[in-house]
Amino acid sequence: MKLRKIQIREMNKKGSAIDILVWMVIAIGIIMFFGLMLYMWNKMTDVMVNLPSTSKVNISDAVSKTFVPVNTAQNTWIPILGYVMLFSMALSILFSNFLVKAHPAFLIVYVLITIGAIIASVYLSNYYETFIQNPEFAESFQTRMKGGTFIILNLPYFVTVIGLFGAIFLLMGILRDRGAGGGIG
């Protein structure tokens, strides 16, 4: 009996040059979503705690036993979840750039897209800054989502660092397999 050699197809192992753009848009989406969620949950909890009680129903006591602990946990852990998501996405860009085997000519495309992302991140950062100037949302974004606000306000710097390190990792991946005769995977 003769064994067949299993053919493994390479599944689209090309580096994605627009990963930095995706990271930038998702970063602002995550911070905005989590910040607005915290704002709305805090408002809802405050309103429900201050509801008047009747002789039969004590809503504020039930809310203080259920909604208030959830609100406290959310104010602690939701910002951390946002930072972990942003950090892990940035690491995945670097890791995927290292593992991909791309032609050196694509480095020029990668750098041009990174420059475009830096320009776009300036506009996103400015729009975010005008958004958090609103006194209604300022407390939620500037105190609870302090780290996320720092990231979005300094988005051009983060995009530049991730983009340049991504280019370096992309080049390191090219030179990595020169004598091995193949790529990883």
Side-chain angles (χ1 to χ4, degrees):
M1 182 170 147
K2 187 175 179 180
L3 295 176
R4 286 186 302 147
K5 200 175 197 179
I6 298 175
Q7 295 287 331
I8 299 174
R9 293 184 215 155
E10 288 195 25
M11 300 174 64
N12 197 8
K13 289 190 169 187
K14 297 177 182 162
S16 179
I18 62 167
D19 279 348
I20 195 73
L21 293 170
V22 172
W23 181 82
M24 182 178 62
V25 170
I26 289 179
I28 199 158
I30 286 172
I31 299 304
M32 292 290 289
F33 175 76
F34 284 157
L36 290 173
M37 188 175 87
L38 287 177
Y39 165 76
M40 289 185 284
W41 191 269
N42 286 327
K43 282 288 192 188
M44 182 180 65
T45 302
D46 290 343
V47 167
M48 291 181 76
V49 164
N50 295 324
L51 287 175
S53 299
T54 62
S55 60
K56 295 180 182 181
V57 178
N58 189 358
I59 294 175
S60 62
D61 182 52
V63 168
S64 66
K65 290 179 182 174
T66 57
F67 279 70
V68 172
V70 171
N71 191 32
T72 305
Q74 281 186 345
N75 285 328
T76 303
W77 292 105
I78 293 257
I80 294 171
L81 176 65
Y83 314 144
V84 167
M85 289 173 73
L86 295 180
F87 182 70
S88 62
M89 285 176 52
L91 279 180
S92 74
I93 291 171
L94 299 177
F95 190 68
S96 67
N97 281 353
F98 179 73
L99 289 180
V100 114
K101 190 172 183 178
H103 194 274
F106 290 116
L107 180 66
I108 297 167
V109 174
Y110 189 85
V111 169
L112 289 175
I113 289 176
T114 302
I115 291 170
I118 293 168
I119 293 169
S121 68
V122 170
Y123 289 109
L124 285 176
S125 179
N126 287 339
Y127 287 135
Y128 182 79
E129 187 174 10
T130 58
F131 176 76
I132 64 170
Q133 297 297 324
N134 186 345
E136 188 75 23
F137 305 119
E139 192 259 332
S140 179
F141 284 96
Q142 292 176 358
T143 58
R144 292 186 186 95
M145 297 293 291
K146 194 180 296 186
T149 296
F150 174 78
I151 291 171
I152 301 301
L153 289 178
N154 295 306
L155 194 61
Y157 299 116
F158 282 96
V159 169
T160 303
V161 168
I162 293 170
L164 290 179
F165 277 110
I168 291 169
F169 276 64
L170 190 63
L171 281 178
M172 285 172 35
I174 291 169
L175 300 174
R176 172 186 82 243
D177 294 330
R178 183 160 288 182
I184 294 176

